[in-house]
Amino acid sequence: MSETPFARTPIIILVEPQLAENIGMTARAMANFGLSELRLVAPRDGWPRKGAKSAASGAGHILDTATLYDSAREAVADLQLVFATTARERGQMKRVLGPEAAIAEAQTALAAGEGVGILFGRERVGLDNDEIALADAILTFPVDPAFASVNLAQAVLLAAYEWRKAAAGALPFGAAPEARSAPAQREMLLSLFEHLEAELDAVGHFPTDKRPVMSRNLRDMLLRMGPSEQDVRTLRGVLRSLGRSRLRKL
Amino acid sequence: MSETPFARTPIIILVEPQLAENIGMTARAMANFGLSELRLVAPRDGWPRKGAKSAASGAGHILDTATLYDSAREAVADLQLVFATTARERGQMKRVLGPEAAIAEAQTALAAGEGVGILFGRERVGLDNDEIALADAILTFPVDPAFASVNLAQAVLLAAYEWRKAAAGALPFGAAPEARSAPAQREMLLSLFEHLEAELDAVGHFPTDKRPVMSRNLRDMLLRMGPSEQDVRTLRGVLRSLGRSRLRKL
């Protein structure tokens, strides 16, 4: 990744894309509007794929440098700000942003040197709840509710287009980020969540049938709070203290 | 066409489109953002075309009602305001507008009961100069000059998207922040802090001489996160679980 903050752009992350053509068209859409970093999570039919390159129509360099991941979690591990695209609000307690608002947040984060990713789901079924839970906020497009199914590459195009419009209007980024500890990378947060949930499991906090929804709400709450790296260290210290006490008494 | 001015939308006009799939994807993109009237000028391989419907992915009704013309001139004959899309300025003495500005003009014209059309050219070579000359203004997209070739259906998508954003200006799409619980009142927070610190005191978390600064940092962190009332209740539940375990073991 570039060391120049101004060269950094949002990272497009396709989760289990199915059609080679959509992957190629995604690359083309990215190149049209100045995005270059593509991450692929477990493409259904493997990678590289025949057909992607021709659909990329000259944007093959983006496919050549695309990186592969086994899971959405791994693909966002090093990022500080993550959006999940969905056509519908999925009953998660997350902020829901339109493209302009999301891109404005992305610009601020990128200007502060953070990594920003946008998750796009499978062609038919989109992102699952656990994948959406990885994100700070939901990015949704102002589609006609009667016809909400946006093609994968088209969705990427809209994000890239808003990025370029904003970047063209706003360079150099003015807003000085407030002085605080860097936002935690996603992997650091996920690891904190697991620590917390393990402690809570150990004391029977979750009724069995409610564990998924309760833990998702807990994660949403903490994500919404936007913890910094220092915050995560502090919370870990608290958890260690409370957990150690439990172990001592066993 | 509807008699209601607000139901009238820009007409999408594809000039000699070559690929059935692009025509289908165009219909889908239109349906996504509430456009419905499609005109086709001499599709290269005739009309209707196999493959268009499946690419339309449910927007087949737009293909079914699409109307056919022999020339771009005939396709714009009944319209009052026409835009020609090109990636580059073509040396014509016409105004060149970005998507937002073009759609703003379209809205004004539509509100006045005028017919508005947007011309899109052939996949490889776009519109010729005579076709561009039919238009009031050029509509161009803010593409990266190094990679200016936008897929046909993608270009339609961007126009439709800007249309819907503008048309929905007053509508509460996307922008509506999800209903979240009210921010906690200060007293509720202080009581949470005291609960947390009591638990931490009980397990010896604070070295005696550092208690004031550590607890202040902890409070600062939680305040900075801006917890809602629901967040406070969730955190209290977590603390109760972890604390109860400690008490049970004493």
Side-chain angles (χ1 to χ4, degrees):
Chain A
M1 236 176 296
S2 167
E3 290 306 302
T4 321
F6 296 121
R8 292 192 59 169
T9 52
I11 295 162
I12 300 297
I13 306 166
L14 305 186
V15 179
E16 295 188 13
Q18 298 167 5
L19 305 177
E21 187 183 23
N22 279 337
I23 303 173
M25 291 286 292
T26 289
R28 181 178 182 179
M30 290 172 64
N32 281 149
F33 295 109
L35 299 187
S36 58
E37 193 172 343
L38 176 63
R39 296 183 178 185
L40 301 174
V41 177
R44 187 187 60 181
D45 300 323
W47 188 255
R49 287 280 308 287
K50 242 173 73 163
K53 208 91 169 213
S54 66
S57 196
H61 55 286
I62 289 176
L63 299 178
D64 293 338
T65 56
T67 47
L68 271 180
Y69 297 82
D70 289 329
S71 66
R73 174 180 177 149
E74 289 165 74
V76 301
D78 61 335
L79 304 179
Q80 283 91 352
L81 179 64
V82 176
F83 296 100
T85 54
T86 72
R88 286 160 293 277
E89 217 278 283
R90 300 285 280 273
Q92 302 227 8
M93 288 298 292
K94 287 197 191 295
R95 292 177 304 129
V96 178
L97 303 177
E100 279 174 304
I103 289 298
E105 287 197 12
Q107 280 191 299
T108 304
L110 288 160
E114 299 173 17
V116 175
I118 308 177
L119 289 165
F120 294 83
R122 300 149 190 85
E123 279 90 340
R124 294 286 162 205
V125 296
L127 296 167
D128 68 31
N129 282 336
D130 289 336
E131 288 157 354
I132 295 172
L134 294 169
D136 296 278
I138 287 173
L139 165 52
T140 194
F141 301 102
V143 289
D144 184 344
F147 197 84
S149 156
V150 180
N151 165 266
L152 175 55
Q154 303 262 44
V156 172
L157 179 84
L158 294 176
Y161 167 72
E162 286 290 3
W163 161 257
R164 181 148 181 102
K165 280 208 305 184
L171 284 173
F173 305 122
E178 92 208 70
R180 59 174 288 211
S181 166
Q185 290 193 349
R186 197 48 34 111
E187 182 56 34
M188 195 175 179
L189 283 171
L190 293 172
S191 162
L192 170 72
F193 297 161
E194 284 163 2
H195 183 177
L196 172 60
E197 286 157 18
E199 291 296 337
L200 291 172
D201 279 335
V203 300
H205 177 72
F206 299 118
T208 313
D209 58 331
K210 292 201 174 150
R211 191 187 191 283
V213 65
M214 284 178 73
S215 68
R216 196 160 62 234
N217 286 343
L218 206 49
R219 288 175 178 221
D220 274 348
M221 175 189 77
L222 289 167
L223 276 177
R224 214 166 44 235
M225 289 178 170
S228 68
E229 287 181 5
Q230 181 54 53
D231 292 340
V232 172
R233 283 192 289 270
T234 301
L235 288 169
R236 273 216 182 261
V238 166
L239 271 181
R240 259 196 310 274
S241 287
L242 296 174
R244 216 170 12 237
S245 129
R246 179 175 53 74
L247 292 176
R248 260 205 312 271
K249 309 289 177 188
L250 287 177
Chain B
M1 232 178 300
S2 166
E3 291 306 303
T4 320
F6 294 121
R8 292 194 57 172
T9 52
I11 296 162
I12 300 298
I13 306 166
L14 305 187
V15 179
E16 295 188 13
Q18 298 166 7
L19 304 177
E21 187 182 24
N22 279 336
I23 303 174
M25 292 285 294
T26 289
R28 180 180 183 177
M30 290 172 65
N32 282 149
F33 295 110
L35 299 187
S36 58
E37 193 173 342
L38 176 63
R39 298 183 177 184
L40 302 174
V41 177
R44 185 186 62 182
D45 299 323
W47 188 257
R49 287 281 309 288
K50 241 173 73 163
K53 207 92 168 210
S54 66
S57 197
H61 55 288
I62 290 176
L63 299 178
D64 294 338
T65 56
T67 47
L68 271 180
Y69 296 83
D70 288 330
S71 67
R73 176 179 176 149
E74 290 167 71
V76 301
D78 61 335
L79 305 179
Q80 282 91 352
L81 178 64
V82 175
F83 296 99
T85 55
T86 71
R88 287 160 294 278
E89 218 277 283
R90 300 283 279 271
Q92 303 228 5
M93 290 298 289
K94 287 195 190 296
R95 293 178 302 132
V96 177
L97 303 177
E100 279 173 303
I103 289 298
E105 287 197 12
Q107 280 192 298
T108 304
L110 288 160
E114 298 174 17
V116 176
I118 309 176
L119 290 164
F120 294 83
R122 302 150 190 87
E123 279 90 340
R124 293 288 160 204
V125 296
L127 297 167
D128 67 30
N129 282 336
D130 289 339
E131 289 157 354
I132 294 172
L134 295 168
D136 297 280
I138 287 174
L139 165 51
T140 194
F141 301 102
V143 290
D144 184 342
F147 198 84
S149 157
V150 179
N151 165 267
L152 175 55
Q154 303 263 44
V156 172
L157 179 83
L158 294 177
Y161 167 72
E162 286 291 3
W163 160 258
R164 181 148 181 103
K165 280 208 305 183
L171 292 178
F173 75 78
E178 105 230 45
R180 65 171 285 208
S181 165
Q185 290 191 348
R186 198 47 37 108
E187 179 54 38
M188 197 173 177
L189 282 172
L190 293 174
S191 161
L192 171 73
F193 297 160
E194 285 162 4
H195 183 176
L196 172 61
E197 286 158 16
E199 291 296 337
L200 291 172
D201 278 336
V203 299
H205 177 74
F206 299 118
T208 314
D209 58 331
K210 291 199 175 152
R211 190 186 191 284
V213 66
M214 284 178 74
S215 67
R216 195 162 60 237
N217 287 344
L218 207 47
R219 289 177 177 219
D220 276 349
M221 175 190 77
L222 289 166
L223 278 175
R224 209 168 48 235
M225 289 178 168
S228 69
E229 287 182 4
Q230 181 55 52
D231 291 340
V232 171
R233 282 191 290 271
T234 301
L235 288 169
R236 274 215 180 262
V238 166
L239 272 181
R240 259 197 310 275
S241 287
L242 296 174
R244 209 161 26 230
S245 130
R246 179 176 54 75
L247 291 176
R248 259 205 314 272
K249 308 291 178 187
L250 286 178

